[in-house]
Amino acid sequence: MKFSEKWLREWVDPAVSTQEICDQLTMAGLEVDGVEPAGGSFTDVVVARVESLEKHPDGDKLNVCQVTDGSETRQIVCGAANVRQGLVIPMARVGADLPGEGGKPFHIKEAKLRGVESFGMLCSEKELGLADSAEGLMELPDDAPLGMNLREYLSLDDTIIELDLTPNRGDCLS
C-alpha cells in the first residue's frame, strides 16, 4: 500500500522526520518497503498554454508553437502528436533541468531544430519522471493557473511511503 506523507500529516502531524515516521511504522509491526519522492527531479517547469501553432517548414511531424506562461510568449518547436491550440501543458523554460536517462539530468537550452529557434520544451509525464511511458504531452486542466510552478501545482514536493501489508494485518487497510 502506498500513501502520501502530506496526506498522513493532514490527519496526524507528529513533530518527527520522514525517517522517524517510517521507524515508528516498522515498530508498530508494519514493514516499510520503500520511501520515494512523489515527483521526478525537475526544475523551472511551469504551467503554460499553446496560443497558436503552425507546421514546421522543414519537418513533417514538427510544429512551431507560440506558448505563453501568462507573462511571456515563447516559440517552441514540438513534435508531440497531441499538441494543439489552447492546450494547457507543462513547459520547461530555458535553463530548466529534467530527469534524464540513467539519472543524468537533461538541461534545457535554446536550440535550433531544423533551422527554427526553440526557447524551451513542452513536456510529457515521462520527460518529467512522473511515468514510465507517455503517448504525448501531459495535458493539464484548462483552468490551471498559467505561470505556476508545476511542482507546486501538482503538490509534488511530497514523499510516498510504501508499506507491505501481510494477510494477517487486514486492519491496516482501513
Side-chain angles (χ1 to χ4, degrees):
M1 172 175 74
K2 291 183 179 185
F3 61 91
S4 158
E5 181 181 349
K6 280 186 178 179
W7 172 82
L8 178 66
R9 290 185 184 275
E10 286 177 12
W11 292 96
V12 292
D13 192 10
V16 297
S17 69
T18 302
Q19 184 58 50
E20 289 173 304
I21 287 175
C22 292
D23 293 343
Q24 290 176 5
L25 288 168
T26 300
M27 294 306 292
L30 302 171
E31 184 181 341
V32 176
D33 261 358
V35 178
E36 59 189 31
S41 57
F42 57 84
T43 62
D44 206 15
V45 177
V46 298
V47 176
R49 182 179 54 242
V50 178
E51 292 293 304
S52 65
L53 68 133
E54 57 188 46
K55 285 290 186 195
H56 190 289
D58 195 25
D60 293 341
K61 296 182 180 181
L62 297 176
N63 291 295
V64 180
C65 305
Q66 300 302 317
V67 183
T68 184
D69 62 6
S71 61
E72 185 179 349
T73 300
R74 294 171 175 79
Q75 177 173 286
I76 298 179
V77 177
C78 178
N82 66 329
V83 68
R84 63 187 180 278
Q85 184 175 350
L87 182 65
V88 179
I89 37 71
M91 176 186 68
R93 295 175 174 156
V94 171
D97 287 312
L98 302 179
E101 299 293 321
K104 184 180 177 194
F106 179 71
H107 188 72
I108 303 299
K109 302 179 270 191
E110 289 181 21
K112 271 194 175 180
L113 294 153
R114 296 193 182 176
V116 176
E117 289 184 303
S118 184
F119 301 95
M121 179 176 164
L122 306 183
C123 303
S124 70
E125 291 95 335
K126 182 179 180 184
E127 292 160 337
L128 295 171
L130 301 175
D132 293 332
S133 64
E135 294 297 316
L137 297 175
M138 180 179 188
E139 297 190 24
L140 300 172
D142 291 340
D143 63 349
L146 299 181
M148 185 174 197
N149 183 297
L150 189 69
R151 296 192 76 78
E152 183 181 337
Y153 177 70
L154 296 177
S155 299
L156 294 176
D157 290 326
D158 193 3
T159 303
I160 302 299
I161 300 171
E162 183 175 3
L163 296 179
D164 184 20
L165 298 179
T166 55
N168 66 326
R169 293 301 308 264
D171 60 312
C172 295
L173 293 173
S174 60

